[in-house]
Amino acid sequence: MENLDLMVLNQLLGWRAKGQKALLATVVRTWGSSPRPVGSIMALCETGSVVGSVSGGCIEDDLIYRYKRISQPTAAHPSENLTHDIPDSPPERVTYGVSADEAHRFGLPCGGTLELVLEFNPEVAELQQLVDMLTQGQMVHRRTDMSTGKVTLLRALQPQALSDDGKNLCNCFGPEYRMLLIGAGQLTEYLATMALFCGFAVTVCDPREEYRSGWQVAGVTLLSDMPDDVVKAFHVDKRTCVIALTHDPKLDDLALLEALSCDALYVGAIGSRRNDEARRSRMVEHFDQTQESLAPLRGPIGIFIGSKTPPEIAVSVMAEVLAVKNAVPLPRDMQVGPAKEQLLPSPRSEAVCFLPET
């Protein structure tokens, strides 16, 4: 599954390229609880088709009612014989959930209020350029002049939060999050499947033919090179996760060291606490690492949920990756102390290792 923003923009581009009218809705401000964060986008075609989301569904329904092309009376509105249409006009603002009644009507949490910017009929050339830049792995700042609707695309080096000063709306679109998995075993298949559904581009590396030959997950790039060479060529960045899943130091250790030399989002390895301690000791003794240089290495990986099977372990690992991606503090990221130790898996927990210890 591709990145959600890219999926929305690709579909919007397809509609506009066919000459259909469409709008792009962006969440620009929220008060109280909100179903979707600031920066979320959705697109609506004049046919009523929707891709993406700005709420739990009720706001989308209202936008469809407002802007779907209708030329005949409907059962729901038998007295109407009007043409609802997406206008050719500058962007507009719309706010939902100001009152308690409206919040309830639109399915917003208690006290929630949501402000959207609606951009009508974005230009095909601009959409194509944006999609091309994102497909090429670039990060893009998309700036919209609120008085004219004119869009400017600027290549960015770092992500920025959405900004809206009333005159210009600037939303940052980044390339896909990527996950490089070392080892093509059963756990990898479950984790790769979950990562794909979460919008990650997934690559699996395993030089062992006997493991690659049984791979069954579609949509994954499968490589046979040595993992450390793959990491070197992968251009690891702040949107990249590198996770070692083989339990084999010959495959895992050098790849992890290469990943640790980069500015990765997440670097981790499967295994028990005892195996994790042994791995760190090897890296200190043989590869001139220090406890400080190994601090970004996550292990044992996964949030403790009492996992005992490969799919359950994959859930725990994916949950930790998403928590890091979404900047949610985890016990292991907090200051070391007795409370932290109580929240982490016990030394013999099978939540982090389902293979016999070696």
Side-chain angles (χ1 to χ4, degrees):
M1 181 177 292
E2 66 181 333
N3 174 275
L4 180 59
D5 287 346
L6 185 55
M7 180 174 66
V8 171
L9 295 169
N10 256 321
Q11 184 62 72
L12 177 60
L13 172 60
W15 290 332
R16 296 291 295 129
K18 294 178 182 178
Q20 295 175 304
K21 291 190 172 185
L23 65 81
L24 177 67
T26 304
V27 179
V28 297
R29 197 166 288 108
T30 64
W31 296 267
S33 301
S34 172
R36 297 282 286 140
V38 168
S40 299
I41 61 172
M42 64 154 281
L44 167 66
C45 183
E46 63 182 354
T47 62
S49 297
V50 171
V51 61
S53 174
V54 293
S55 77
C58 295
I59 290 177
E60 286 83 351
D61 290 345
D62 184 70
L63 291 173
I64 292 170
Y65 170 70
R66 291 191 185 199
Y67 295 108
K68 179 180 177 181
R69 181 183 290 273
I70 301 174
S71 58
Q72 299 293 331
T74 65
H77 304 281
S79 62
E80 291 189 4
N81 191 18
L82 303 175
T83 299
H84 294 189
D85 207 353
I86 294 175
D88 290 306
S89 63
E92 294 182 2
R93 297 178 184 274
V94 58
T95 302
Y96 291 91
V98 173
S99 68
D101 287 344
E102 283 183 322
H104 177 73
R105 173 188 170 194
F106 293 115
L108 294 171
C110 182
T113 303
L114 193 68
E115 182 180 329
L116 305 177
V117 164
L118 306 181
E119 298 178 56
F120 304 111
N121 302 313
E123 294 184 1
V124 173
E126 175 268 313
L127 288 172
Q128 185 68 68
Q129 182 184 0
L130 177 57
V131 167
D132 288 346
M133 293 174 73
L134 294 175
T135 302
Q136 295 166 9
Q138 299 179 32
M139 186 173 293
V140 185
H141 289 166
R142 182 179 185 272
R143 185 174 64 208
T144 303
D145 186 320
M146 292 296 293
S147 62
T148 65
K150 179 178 175 56
V151 171
T152 304
L153 301 178
L154 302 172
R155 185 172 180 179
L157 297 178
Q158 295 183 347
Q160 293 183 7
L162 179 142
S163 64
D164 176 18
D165 61 6
K167 296 181 180 179
N168 292 286
L169 169 66
C170 186
N171 199 6
C172 183
F173 295 96
E176 292 178 303
Y177 281 89
R178 299 181 298 158
M179 183 177 290
L180 173 59
L181 301 176
I182 300 168
Q186 186 182 30
L187 173 59
T188 307
E189 291 193 352
Y190 286 110
L191 183 54
T193 301
M194 294 177 190
L196 289 171
F197 275 106
C198 291
F200 285 73
V202 181
T203 299
V204 173
C205 169
D206 200 324
R208 303 169 298 181
E209 171 61 26
E210 61 272 22
Y211 283 87
R212 294 197 315 275
S213 62
W215 184 259
Q216 300 182 21
V217 180
V220 171
T221 300
L222 188 61
L223 303 177
S224 61
D225 304 288
M226 289 300 293
D228 56 317
D229 292 332
V230 173
V231 175
K232 289 179 184 178
F234 209 70
H235 303 294
V236 173
D237 57 22
K238 292 181 179 180
R239 288 179 171 243
T240 305
C241 305
V242 179
I243 305 176
L245 300 171
T246 73
H247 293 274
D248 185 342
K250 298 189 299 297
L251 299 178
D252 291 349
D253 286 8
L254 291 178
L256 291 170
L257 287 170
E258 288 293 340
L260 288 170
S261 69
C262 306
D263 192 13
L265 171 70
Y266 181 104
V267 180
I270 199 73
S272 66
R273 283 194 178 189
R274 188 175 73 184
N275 287 342
D276 181 64
E277 291 169 0
R279 178 185 301 111
R280 292 173 188 271
S281 296
R282 287 194 305 270
M283 291 180 172
V284 170
E285 181 178 357
H286 300 293
F287 299 102
D288 299 323
Q289 296 296 305
T290 65
Q291 294 302 324
E292 290 74 20
S293 67
L294 294 175
L297 176 60
R298 293 179 176 269
I301 55 174
I303 294 175
F304 179 65
I305 57 173
S307 310
K308 297 185 182 298
T309 64
E312 290 179 353
I313 296 167
V315 169
S316 77
V317 174
M318 194 70 227
E320 183 178 57
V321 169
L322 292 176
V324 173
K325 169 183 173 289
N326 296 331
V328 176
L330 293 166
R332 73 184 68 211
D333 299 321
M334 301 175 186
Q335 186 173 352
V336 177
K340 172 187 174 181
E341 293 300 319
Q342 292 173 8
L343 289 171
L344 290 173
S346 66
R348 297 294 301 176
S349 171
E350 292 185 9
V352 294
C353 180
F354 65 92
L355 295 178
E357 293 182 355
T358 56

